[in-house]
Amino acid sequence: MRLLTLNGLTCGATLLLLVVLALPAKQTFDRGSRARETSATTELPRYKPAPHPRRVFGAYVDPWHADDWGRAVGAAPQAIAKFEAFSRRRTVDRYAAESRKQGIRRMLVSWEPWTPVPTALGIDAQSLPQPGYRNIDIARGAQDRYIMRFARSLARFRGTVWLRYAHEMNGYWYPWSRGARSYRWAWRRIVRLFGVAGARNVRFVWSVNANLYEPESVWLANARRYWPGTRYVDAVGSTMIDFGGRKDYAVERFAPRLRTLREQFGKPIVLAETNTEYDGRVRWLRDLRTMLRGMPWIRAVIWSQLPSRGAAHRASTSGRVDWDVQRDPRAAAQLRRIIEDGVR
């Protein structure tokens, strides 16, 4: 009898001890559960695009991830940008609809008349003429049906579309660089077709490359060969990428060419692709911000960290341009200040 009583007391004491030891663990578990429930019901911060910025800031990011980009940087882009090749034969209806859903009223479309060539094949293969997409083919109406369908798609967007057709034509790496006269003819035909389609919300961006490897006089003379005329252009664009390595371009190298574009063509300027290599990125972005303060006629800056054909073709001589500002708080802070400057 005494043995049974002793065993009962021992088991009871053991059970009580286990309960006491388990209480802190249960309280911790309960706190974690409540925190998870609170987190699930609390909305993440959302940065709304400024509706009427003095200088528009855009990013090459799809509208389904624009919120993520804004949260990472701490400010929302007011425009979304994308590349679109003629060969895909598609419109941007879904893309435009999601942009509007996200409160984004501006798009920049880099519209490329070709079938994209894998970068692994090199610049020579990439620059070869493509029948059906050549400047003369487009000027003669070979792509009219697709162009009209695309124009009607853009016309349905309840906002402004900057159409950057056949960019960097003053280089040598794209097939549409061949035949400056037919390039002008093709451009004018496209503008007229958009007028027929009623796409009054489309602004045409004639976008060159800065070609800092050329003397300015050579660069300007070559670019002028492709100029379709003042009445056919709404804004002048330029690529502004510091590739690093042999093409380590400080902001101050670009500034004189941007001023020349403004003076020579008298149109608002759009930095249609902007990026810099990883090394020195914070200083480069700080210098970009300083430059923009002195150039109010730069009406838009479009940030691009998409895979770069230029970097891929020069992988052994370029710096690292595939870093992600969303994972770089120091660089993101500089970009956020550039966005905020454009809103004030």
Side-chain angles (χ1 to χ4, degrees), residues 194-210:
F194 271 68
V196 172
R200 297 179 182 85
N201 60 326
V202 174
R203 306 291 179 264
F204 291 90
V205 181
W206 182 78
S207 189
V208 299
N209 195 62

Side-chain angles (χ1 to χ4, degrees), residues 1-59:
M1 188 68 178
R2 290 179 180 177
L3 183 60
L4 288 174
T5 302
L6 183 60
N7 286 340
L9 289 173
T10 302
C11 290
T14 303
L15 181 62
L16 180 61
L17 180 61
L18 290 174
V19 169
V20 170
L21 292 174
L23 279 174
K26 182 179 184 303
Q27 291 171 351
T28 301
F29 178 80
D30 290 343
R31 284 196 298 269
S33 297
R34 286 194 296 271
R36 285 191 293 273
E37 289 172 3
T38 301
S39 176
T41 57
T42 302
E43 289 188 5
L44 292 171
R46 188 170 190 275
Y47 296 90
K48 294 183 179 180
H52 304 292
R54 289 185 303 104
R55 183 185 61 242
V56 172
F57 186 93

Side-chain angles (χ1 to χ4, degrees), residues 10 21 134 149 211 232 241 244 254 286 294 309 311 322 330:
T10 302
L21 292 174
R134 298 174 304 172
R149 186 159 55 89
N211 289 7
Y232 296 98
I241 299 178
F254 291 95
R286 190 182 299 126
R309 287 180 172 271
D322 61 350
R330 292 179 63 213

Side-chain angles (χ1 to χ4, degrees), residues 98-137:
E98 183 63 24
S99 296
R100 284 294 299 180
K101 185 178 177 182
Q102 297 297 330
I104 297 169
R105 303 176 181 178
R106 301 167 187 86
M107 294 194 302
L108 181 139
V109 180
S110 293
W111 202 25
E112 302 175 309
W114 71 338
T115 297
V117 176
T119 54
L121 297 180
I123 291 178
D124 290 342
Q126 179 177 289
S127 65
L128 291 174
Q130 297 184 5
Y133 299 122
R134 298 174 304 172
N135 292 325
I136 192 62
D137 296 329

